[in-house]
Structure formats: C-alpha cells, structure tokens
Amino acid sequence: MLSRAEFIVNRVLRSIWLRPAAYAAGAALVVLITPLIDPFLPFEWKELVSAETNEAVLTILASSLLAVAIFSLSTMVAALRSASSSATPRARALLVEDAAAQNAISTFIGAFLFSLLGLIGSLLGLYSGSGRVILFALTVLLVLIVVATLIRWLQRLSRLGDVTEAIRRVEEVAQTAFDHAPAAHQMDEPPTFDDGVNLYPKAPGFVQNVALEDLKALCERLNLQVIVLAPPGAFADAGAPLARLSEPVDPACEDELCACFNLGSDRDYRSDPCFGLIVLSEIASKALSPGVNDPGTAIHTIRAIQRVLHKWAVTLAEEADKDTEAADRTQRVFLPGISVRHALACGFDPISFDGANRPVITRTLLSALSGLKAQDDALFGDAADELAQAMLARAQSAIPHEADRQSLSAAAKRLGFEN
C-alpha cells in the first residue's frame, strides 16, 4: 500500500486537469523564453522569416485549435456518458484517466495557448529576426505534433465509449490491485487486545488507502500494536471503527493514527481489489437487464472476473514459493487479507442473481468456478462448491422449463458440482 504522500501524489497524477495545465505552462514558457535565446543565434537568420508569416500561421492555429479542443472535450463527454449508460457509472472514473484522451486534450489546449501567446508576442514586437525564426520552427514542430495527436485521438475515439473497453480497463486495474493483495489465510492471526480501545474516524467515509509504512513507524514510536478493522474498501463511521489499539493514546496521537487512513466518498480501484470485481459484476448485471438484454456482454464479463482471480491465484502461489522470513515477534500492525469466499461473491453473486433465469449465464458461472477450482483446489475449492450450490438452487427456482433445469443439472455434474 502507498504512503499518505504517495497516495495523494498518485491521485493528482491521474487527474484530468494536470496534463493540460502542464502543457499550457510549457507552451507559455517556450514562448516567453524565446526572446532570451535570441542574442545567441546567428545574425543571418533574421531575414529568413517575416513577422507577417508568423502572424498568419499562428492566427490559423489559434483560431482552429480552440475549436478542436472544444470538439475533443465534447466528444469525450459523450463517450463517458455512453460508457456510463452501457456499462456502469463506476467505470467512468477509469475512462477519465485514459492517458490517450488526456494527452490529446492537453496537446490541443497547450498548442492553442502557444499560438495565442506567440501571436501576442509577435504583434507586440517582442521577437527580433532570429526570434521569429525560432518561433516559426517551433510552430512547424507544433503542427506536426498536433496532426499526429489528432490521428491517434480519432483512432482512440472508436473505442473510448465502448462497453468492451470499459470491461478491459476495469479488468486491468482490478488485476493490478490483486497483484499486491494477500489472501486472508496468509495473514497472521491478530491478538485480542482485551484492554485495548477502538480508533474511530473523524468523519464517515470509505477507506481508500492505508498508509501501512507510516502506520508501522508511528506504532514503533508509540510502542503500540494496531489491528486494522477497516481495510481499503470498508466504510468507517462512528459505529464502524478504523482499527483496534492495544492501549489508549492521547487525542494528538489519535489524530496521527487517523491520518494514516485516507477516507473519501468513493472507493478506490488501485488499493481496493474487490471493488474492481464489483464493478465488473455491475456491468454484467446491466447487460442482463430487460432494457439492455445482452447476455454476450455478461459472459464476457464473467470470463474477465475469472481471469483476474486466476492471475491472483498464480501470484499467491509464486509468493508462497519464495523463501519466507522468520515471523516478526514484535509485529505492530495486523492487516486483514482478502477472503476467497468474499472475492468470489463480489464477482459472481450479483450476476447469478440477475441471470438466474438464463441457463447460459448459470452454466458460464459454473464453468468459471470449475476452472478456478481445477486450477487451485486448496484456494478456491470449498468456496467454489458453496457458491455453485447456491447458484444452482437459485437457477432451479427461477427457470420455468423442466428441460432447461435438467440440462443445467447435467452441466453442473459434468463440471464437478453435484446437486
């Protein structure tokens, strides 16, 4: 998990406003620094480009790039609206962070400001002959960058609002989160702390990140042990504490401990692995709604969830094969791992509920559970069996046709799930 400072910096770097601001600042810097470089350039350059040439080119760029930037923003908004309606509103945050989209909009806005500032400088006579040559060379380079960015942007637009792209982005970020997520059975059993006290948040919210290293350092300084009760994804309030402390501390120390927990109004994909599975299940559930009626998308989403959990099992096996260090007798922080049953339920339970009357959906769910069970029976076996029986019971009561029920029972037996 990230430290508090790293978490904040990471959120800022993914913000949609950062790149346009950086490009705009760079454009302003380039235009303003050109007169300072002018005295160091050869005198012969001053006759190569006239002020009228620069003004004409910059006027064309300034007048056209603003329209291009507005068009790009409106197109992106339309794509995000389409993704929200076809997939889920929770996927929109990932699409906003799309690097290609941010780079395109940033380039157009930065190029517009470059053209505008360059035109103002040229009209005010800030550039000598050599300065005009530099400005013209930078303008030509800018045109090439804008053309290349526009071509890439048009290619990107063909997929930006597509539900398949939303599934891919959510699967990717969920996979990244699970790559660093320990399973519950791997974690040390925490002590009871009979004489301890609970740590409550100053305001309710979802835990977005736990600054684990900061928390450990603070516990070392305070000679304290902490059981984290609200890992990333949990909602903490006056009735749901953040952590259990081994002993009471003064209010100032409580504030420092609370600062190690980043709370917000929304869950965070990168530190909350199960949130990605929940969003994938929402996409599948929307696809199964009567208004959409797209079981193919639901099947695609089920396989995406299976791939995420498959890779998680591979990662856990690789970690188990590594040499483990001796147990720390003075462990300060006890963080809960992810329950396999909870992970499977987050991904598959909502789809099973919404697709219970569709045999093809239940068969796909059972196939996914069978594949995970065959891959690592010790990890997924018991939870997969329990979940499969619940899915079968739900489907048997929702499917009206007897032949469909018998076909589903036969498929369940072939996959290793007996009624």
Side-chain angles (χ1 to χ4, degrees):
M1 293 184 183
L2 302 176
S3 67
R4 182 174 176 81
E6 290 173 335
F7 178 76
I8 295 173
V9 169
N10 190 264
R11 293 290 292 270
V12 171
L13 291 176
R14 300 197 309 267
S15 300
I16 193 172
W17 59 265
L18 182 65
R19 291 195 184 198
Y23 273 76
L29 181 62
V30 169
V31 172
L32 295 176
I33 204 173
T34 303
L36 303 178
I37 303 176
D38 179 48
F40 302 98
L41 297 174
F43 181 75
E44 295 78 10
W45 288 16
K46 66 179 182 180
E47 300 298 333
L48 295 178
V49 179
S50 65
E52 291 77 13
T53 302
N54 271 338
E55 290 171 12
V57 175
L58 290 171
T59 299
I60 294 172
L61 284 176
S63 59
S64 60
L65 284 174
L66 181 60
V68 172
I70 293 174
F71 163 76
S72 300
L73 283 170
S74 61
T75 304
M76 185 177 179
V77 170
L80 294 176
R81 187 180 297 115
S82 174
S84 296
S85 60
S86 61
T88 171
R90 257 65 61 191
R92 183 170 53 188
L94 291 178
L95 299 177
V96 169
E97 296 171 4
D98 184 82
Q102 290 188 8
N103 183 65
I105 295 171
S106 302
T107 300
F108 298 145
I109 294 176
F112 165 72
L113 290 176
F114 178 93
S115 304
L116 186 61
L117 294 175
L119 183 60
I120 292 172
S122 182
L123 292 173
L124 292 177
L126 297 180
Y127 305 109
S128 63
S130 301
R132 290 195 297 270
V133 173
I134 296 173
L135 185 63
F136 183 77
L138 291 174
T139 303
V140 172
L141 178 62
L142 183 66
V143 170
L144 296 176
I145 293 174
V146 168
V147 170
T149 303
L150 186 58
I151 293 173
R152 291 182 57 200
W153 176 232
L154 291 175
Q155 180 184 9
R156 189 74 185 88
L157 283 177
S158 64
R159 306 192 310 269
L160 188 59
D162 188 59
V163 65
T164 305
E165 176 67 9
I167 294 172
R168 186 192 68 80
R169 292 297 304 274
V170 177
E171 178 186 352
E172 185 180 83
V173 73
Q175 190 64 77
T176 301
F178 267 103
D179 285 344
H180 305 91
H185 67 271
Q186 293 180 321
M187 309 305 290
D188 295 332
E189 188 70 24
T192 55
F193 294 161
D194 294 332
D195 297 328
V197 295
N198 289 334
L199 177 70
Y200 293 93
K202 303 303 177 184
F206 288 102
V207 178
Q208 297 177 334
N209 182 64
V210 180
L212 199 55
E213 295 303 320
D214 297 345
L215 186 59
K216 288 180 179 178
L218 186 57
C219 290
E220 285 287 347
R221 179 165 63 85
L222 299 176
N223 192 25
L224 191 70
Q225 287 183 298
V226 172
I227 302 173
V228 176
L229 301 178
F235 190 84
D237 56 22
L242 292 169
R244 177 79 174 172
L245 310 181
S246 58
E247 58 186 62
V249 295
D250 58 62
C253 293
E254 281 190 8
D255 292 340
E256 290 185 75
L257 290 167
C258 286
C260 295
F261 295 81
N262 294 92
L263 272 66
S265 58
D266 300 305
R267 297 173 70 169
D268 186 84
Y269 284 98
R270 289 162 180 83
S271 58
D272 180 6
C274 289
F275 183 48
L277 300 184
I278 291 172
V279 173
L280 286 172
S281 71
E282 288 181 355
I283 296 174
S285 293
K286 176 167 283 190
L288 293 172
S289 64
V292 179
N293 193 24
D294 182 14
T297 293
I299 292 172
H300 182 60
T301 307
I302 292 170
R303 295 307 183 185
I305 296 171
Q306 181 183 0
R307 287 192 295 270
V308 171
L309 295 174
H310 167 86
K311 182 62 168 56
W312 182 44
V314 172
T315 302
L316 292 177
E318 291 173 351
E319 292 294 330
D321 290 339
K322 294 180 180 178
D323 293 333
T324 57
E325 298 179 359
D328 184 5
R329 299 300 181 184
T330 59
Q331 183 174 350
R332 295 293 183 180
V333 179
F334 297 86
L335 188 71
I338 296 178
S339 163
V340 174
R341 177 65 180 84
H342 177 67
L344 290 174
C346 286
F348 293 138
D349 258 355
I351 306 174
S352 172
F353 179 83
D354 292 311
N357 62 336
R358 298 174 183 257
V360 65
I361 298 299
T362 303
R363 278 198 299 268
T364 305
L365 287 168
L366 294 176
S367 173
L369 289 175
S370 177
L372 292 172
K373 181 181 176 181
Q375 176 200 358
D376 193 334
D377 186 68
L379 181 65
F380 294 114
D382 293 340
D385 287 334
E386 180 185 346
L387 202 59
Q389 295 304 320
M391 289 177 181
L392 278 171
R394 188 178 294 122
Q396 294 287 4
S397 62
I399 298 173
H401 200 271
E402 178 62 27
D404 290 337
R405 292 197 294 268
Q406 293 177 359
S407 175
L408 185 59
S409 296
K413 290 180 180 179
R414 286 196 304 270
L415 293 170
F417 300 112
E418 298 289 342
N419 285 330

